[in-house]
């Protein structure tokens, strides 16, 4: 008997038709700008219609690594990331643990903690600029009410106090996001394991370290990576609260890139800064994922 012929599986085009709009939009608004920025970084880009742009190779990148303001802005981005990521993780997890138990007022507290997340960056940046103004609420509280300072601290006129104010906004606005991720992860922690640990005499810290933390570890990885990426991409709060001042001392990489591209119209150099930031964020994220992966492998 002749061998039965195999029918090729019928390929359905329906799923691809549903994916097509998203792929087209992703290509137009994500991939194309990325490739365009990479191309611009190799030119002394001229924005005038019909004017030629001079190819200068790696000159913009060499200029960046010789630019003191680039290193200052990169350092400020790193400082912001280091001062905002750990508090958001610790406080977000702490609030999630407190709101984990079912209580009548729990939905209200969840909304209150999450409200800053959905509030406009422009609104809260201007609010914090008022709070930390020379005659703002922070100076009034610390000076006139608590008598901890003379009430005349010029928060936004010095590099470190201005960075502290900017970081305070970042932490306040980000706690609710971390809280919601951790709350979702905590729902999957097996209650039987926690009850067994309690019966064995484990305290709350032991239960958290041995039972809760390993169960929410994938969520922890996600939160850390996303917060680090967000820390390096700080922009609106710096632009509106200090404008990079005083004298560029609170400039971060994105505000410096914005100034070079849209104030000085040096689009080639601004594009090179954008490419450098992308490489830094990608490298830091890859290192984090590898460290977390090795940690998981070592614990098995």
């Amino acid at each position: 008997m002749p061998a039965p012929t195999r029918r090729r599986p019928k390929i359905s085009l329906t799923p691809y038709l549903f994916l097509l709009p998203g792929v087209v939009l992703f290509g137009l608004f994500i991939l194309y700008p990325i490739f365009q920025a990479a191309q611009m970084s190799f030119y002394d880009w001229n924005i005038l219609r019909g004017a030629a742009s001079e190819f200068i190779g790696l000159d913009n990148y060499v200029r960046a690594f010789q630019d003191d303001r680039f290193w200052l802005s990169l350092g400020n981005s790193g400082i912001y990331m280091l001062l905002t990521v750990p508090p958001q993780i610790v406080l977000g997890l702490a609030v999630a643990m407190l709101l984990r138990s079912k209580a009548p007022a729990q939905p209200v507290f969840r909304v209150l903690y999450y409200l800053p997340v959905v509030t406009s960056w422009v609104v809260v940046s201007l609010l914090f600029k008022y709070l930390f103004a020379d005659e703002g609420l922070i100076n009034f509280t610390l000076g006139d009410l608590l008598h901890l300072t003379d009430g005349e601290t010029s928060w936004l006129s010095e590099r470190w106090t201005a960075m502290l104010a900017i970081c305070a906004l970042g932490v306040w606005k980000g706690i609710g996001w971390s809280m919601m991720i951790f709350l979702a992860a905590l729902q999957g922690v097996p209650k039987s394991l926690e009850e067994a640990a309690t019966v064995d005499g484990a305290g709350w810290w032991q239960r958290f370290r041995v039972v809760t933390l390993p169960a929410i570890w994938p969520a922890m990885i996600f939160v850390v990576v996303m917060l680090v990426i967000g820390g390096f991409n700080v922009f609106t709060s710096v632009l509106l609260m200090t404008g990079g001042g005083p004298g560029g001392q609170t400039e971060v990489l994105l505000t410096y890139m914005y100034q070079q591209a849209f104030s000085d119209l040096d689009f080639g150099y601004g594009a090179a800064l954008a490419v450098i930031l992308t490489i830094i964020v990608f490298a830091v994220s890859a290192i984090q994922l590898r460290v977390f992966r090795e940690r998981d492998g070592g614990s098995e």
Side-chain angles (χ1 to χ4, degrees):
M1 295 179 61
T5 58
R6 292 185 178 181
R7 292 185 178 180
R8 293 183 178 180
K10 186 178 180 181
I11 299 177
S12 175
L13 296 179
T14 303
Y16 299 99
L17 292 176
F18 279 104
L19 290 173
L20 182 60
V23 172
V24 171
L25 292 175
F26 181 79
L28 287 177
F29 295 103
I30 303 296
L31 293 182
Y32 175 73
I34 290 175
F35 288 117
Q36 184 70 19
Q39 178 189 359
M40 292 171 62
S41 69
F42 296 106
Y43 287 82
D44 182 9
W45 196 264
N46 196 324
I47 64 171
L48 296 178
R49 182 182 295 274
S53 298
E54 180 185 358
F55 180 79
I56 57 176
L58 297 175
D59 286 1
N60 283 324
Y61 294 94
V62 174
R63 173 185 168 187
F65 290 111
Q66 295 175 347
D67 186 354
D68 292 338
R69 289 190 64 185
F70 164 77
W71 291 109
L72 176 63
S73 62
L74 178 60
N76 286 337
S77 296
I79 291 170
Y80 178 87
M81 185 269 294
L82 292 174
L83 293 182
T84 57
V85 171
Q88 289 180 76
I89 295 172
V90 174
L91 295 176
L93 181 56
V95 173
M97 294 290 291
L98 291 174
L99 296 180
R100 183 186 180 188
S101 59
K102 294 182 179 179
Q106 184 195 62
V108 176
F109 284 107
R110 288 188 179 184
V111 171
L112 291 177
Y113 277 107
Y114 195 72
L115 189 61
V117 180
V118 296
T119 305
S120 167
W121 269 106
V122 174
V123 173
V124 296
S125 296
L126 294 176
L127 173 62
F128 269 66
K129 183 178 182 179
Y130 165 75
L131 292 176
F132 284 93
D134 292 349
E135 298 180 359
L137 184 61
I138 299 299
N139 272 338
F140 174 77
T141 302
L142 295 178
D144 296 346
L145 294 182
L146 302 178
H147 303 290
L148 297 177
T149 67
D150 57 7
E152 298 181 357
T153 304
S154 186
W155 293 93
L156 303 180
S157 299
E158 300 290 337
R159 178 190 181 188
W160 295 110
T161 52
M163 288 300 299
L164 182 63
I166 294 169
C167 291
L169 169 57
V171 172
W172 174 79
K173 200 173 190 305
I175 290 175
W177 181 83
S178 301
M179 175 203 71
M180 292 303 294
I181 301 298
F182 287 132
L183 268 175
L186 288 171
Q187 304 303 315
V189 178
K191 292 187 178 298
S192 58
L193 294 179
E194 293 183 327
E195 294 171 354
T198 302
V199 172
D200 291 339
W204 73 268
W205 172 248
Q206 291 175 312
R207 292 197 304 271
F208 173 79
R209 183 173 58 87
V210 178
V211 178
T212 305
L213 189 57
I216 66 171
W217 189 248
M220 179 69 73
I221 296 174
F222 173 76
V223 169
V224 172
V225 172
M226 295 303 296
L227 288 181
V228 168
I229 293 174
F232 275 111
N233 284 281
V234 58
F235 173 72
T236 307
S237 57
V238 177
L239 184 67
L240 294 180
M241 289 181 67
T242 66
Q249 292 297 300
T250 59
E251 201 89 70
V252 292
L253 203 50
L254 277 182
T255 58
Y256 185 45
M257 178 193 71
Y258 179 85
Q259 177 196 347
Q260 291 297 313
F262 298 103
S263 295
D264 300 343
L265 300 182
D266 193 349
F267 284 93
Y269 188 47
L273 295 176
V275 172
I276 292 173
L277 176 60
T278 301
I279 294 173
I280 291 173
V281 170
F282 179 82
V284 171
S285 301
I287 292 172
Q288 289 180 97
L289 291 174
R290 181 168 183 176
V291 170
F292 283 126
R293 192 178 298 114
E294 289 179 353
R295 187 263 183 198
D296 287 341
S299 62
E300 290 177 357

